[in-house]
Amino acid sequence: MIPILFLATLCLGVVSAAPTHDPSLDAEWHEWKTQHGKTYVMDEEGQKRAVWENNRKMIELHNEDYTKGKHGFHLEMNAFGDLTNTEFRQLMTGFQSMGTTEMNVFQEPRLGDVPKSVDWRKHGYVTPVKDQGSCGACWAFSAVGSLVGQMFWKTGKLVPLSEQNLVDCSWSHGNIGCHGGLMQNAFQYVMDNGGLDTSESYPYESRNTTCRYNPENSAANVTGFVKIPANEYSLMKAVAIVGPISAAIDTKHHSFQFYRGGMYYEPECSSSNLDHAVLVVGYGEESDGRKYWLVKNSWGTYWGMNGYIKMARDRNNNCGIATYAMYPTV
Ligand SMILES: *[C@@H]1O[C@H](CO)[C@@H](O)[C@H](O)[C@H]1NC(C)=O
Ligand SMILES: *[C@@H]1O[C@H](CO)[C@@H](O)[C@H](O)[C@H]1NC(C)=O
C-alpha cells in the first residue's frame, strides 16, 4: 500500500482582517441564515458574515469562469457557507491515515473488456445518501457503503447498516470516532466483532456515544478486505466486477466544499494527501468523451448532484480516487 501522509490540524481557521460587510448583501445574508437555520451569538455573527461573503465571492468568480468554459463544474452557496475551508475540513471529513498494513490485493480477473459505464444504483446496491453532520465519520459511511453493497450481492437484500455502530465501537481498532478513521479498521472491527448492526436498530447520531452493539441486530459479516492496486484501470475493473468500492480523496479545496454539478477536476488536488472517504458507485463517459467516476458522498442530498459528484476519470488519478480503494469480502 502507498503510505499516505496526512496531518490533522487542530487549530481553527481564523479570519485575520477585521470583518467588513457589504451592506447590499444584508437581505441575502438573512435569507441564507433563515434557510439553513443559522443563529449566532452577537460577537460570532460578524466573523461568520465575513466568511460567508468571502465564499460567496469565490463561488461567483468560479461560476463566471465556468460560463466562459474554464471549468467543467459549477459551484453553489450551501449550508457550509459560513465555514472557512479549514473549519470545513475539520468538521466534515475525517479520513485519517495510520501507517501501512498488510492487505490482500485485488487480483484482476483476466477478463477482456469491462463495460464502458457502470452505475450500481440501478441494480439495487446503493442506499439513499446520508448526512454525516458535524462529525468526521466519512470513513464509517464509506465502509458501510461498500459493505452494504457486498451484502446485497450475497443475500439479494439491501439492508442499511449502522455507521454509528462503527463510530462508537471501533476505537480499539484504531478509529477515533468523529475525529476520523480508516475503512480498513472498520472492516477489521466487523470481522473481529462478528457482525454489524442495522442502522434501523442503531441509528446515526453524528456524535461519539458509547458502544451499544447488539448481536441480535446484526445484518452483516466480513471475512476480509481487499485493496485495489492504486491505479484507475484497476479501480475500474474492481467497480465493474465487485460493486461499489470504498475510496479516499483529497477534498481540501473550496471547489469541493461548494461543488454543485458538472465534472469535478481540481488541478490543485493531491493524489496522496487524502482527507475524505467516499463510495465509488460507478463510472462512465460523457457524450463529449470526458470520463468520470460516479461518487457518493455523505454530506446530504443538498450538496452536489443530489449528494453525488462526478469526478474526472483517467486524468492522472485526480484527487487520489484510486490511491486507497478497497472493499470487504463477505
Ligand atoms: C469525539 O471524540 C473525540 C476524541 O475523544 C473528540 O476529540 C471529539 O471532539 C468528539 N467528537 C464529538 C462530536 O463528540
Ligand atoms: C455472521 O456470522 C455468524 C457466525 O458464523 C452467524 O451466526 C451469523 O448468522 C452471521 N450473520 C449474518 C448477518 O450473516
Side-chain angles (χ1 to χ4, degrees), residues 134-135 171 176 178-179 206-208:
S134 304
C135 165
W171 292 69
I176 44 178
C178 286
H179 261 208
S206 191
R207 63 192 178 97
N208 310 318

Side-chain angles (χ1 to χ4, degrees), residues 151 194 218-221:
M151 290 307 297
S218 168
N221 277 322

Side-chain angles (χ1 to χ4, degrees), residues 113-281:
D113 288 338
V114 286
K116 271 197 108 163
S117 70
V118 168
D119 183 350
W120 287 110
R121 294 176 300 184
K122 293 181 182 152
H123 305 281
Y125 279 68
V126 185
T127 58
V129 169
K130 291 184 186 171
D131 188 349
Q132 68 186 75
S134 304
C135 165
C138 61
W139 56 273
F141 285 85
S142 172
V144 157
S146 57
L147 180 51
V148 163
Q150 290 310 292
M151 290 307 297
F152 177 79
W153 167 76
K154 187 178 178 182
T155 66
K157 285 188 212 131
L158 188 72
V159 182
L161 296 168
S162 174
E163 294 87 7
Q164 193 65 43
N165 186 168
L166 292 175
V167 168
D168 295 341
C169 310
S170 65
W171 292 69
S172 58
H173 288 76
N175 290 329
I176 44 178
C178 286
H179 261 208
L182 284 179
M183 290 80 93
Q184 70 191 65
N185 296 339
F187 297 141
Q188 188 68 51
Y189 160 77
V190 180
M191 225 171 126
D192 295 346
N193 189 49
L196 185 69
D197 283 349
T198 62
S199 75
E200 195 188 4
S201 67
Y202 199 155
Y204 187 62
E205 294 186 44
S206 191
R207 63 192 178 97
N208 310 318
T209 59
T210 49
C211 181
R212 286 158 290 147
Y213 172 73
N214 180 347
E216 283 171 24
N217 297 324
S218 168
N221 277 322
V222 166
T223 57
F225 43 92
V226 177
K227 167 87 178 72
I228 317 296
N231 67 77
E232 291 181 90
Y233 187 58
S234 297
L235 179 59
M236 181 178 79
K237 281 190 171 178
V239 171
I241 292 156
V242 174
I245 302 283
S246 295
I249 52 176
D250 172 17
T251 64
K252 296 181 285 297
H253 309 277
H254 271 118
S255 56
F256 201 90
Q257 183 174 352
F258 296 105
Y259 168 84
R260 177 68 171 123
M263 175 93 65
Y264 187 75
Y265 174 76
E266 175 53 78
E268 300 281 305
C269 249
S270 164
S271 294
S272 56
N273 188 353
L274 314 178
D275 65 320
H276 187 48
V278 290
L279 187 70
V280 183
V281 302

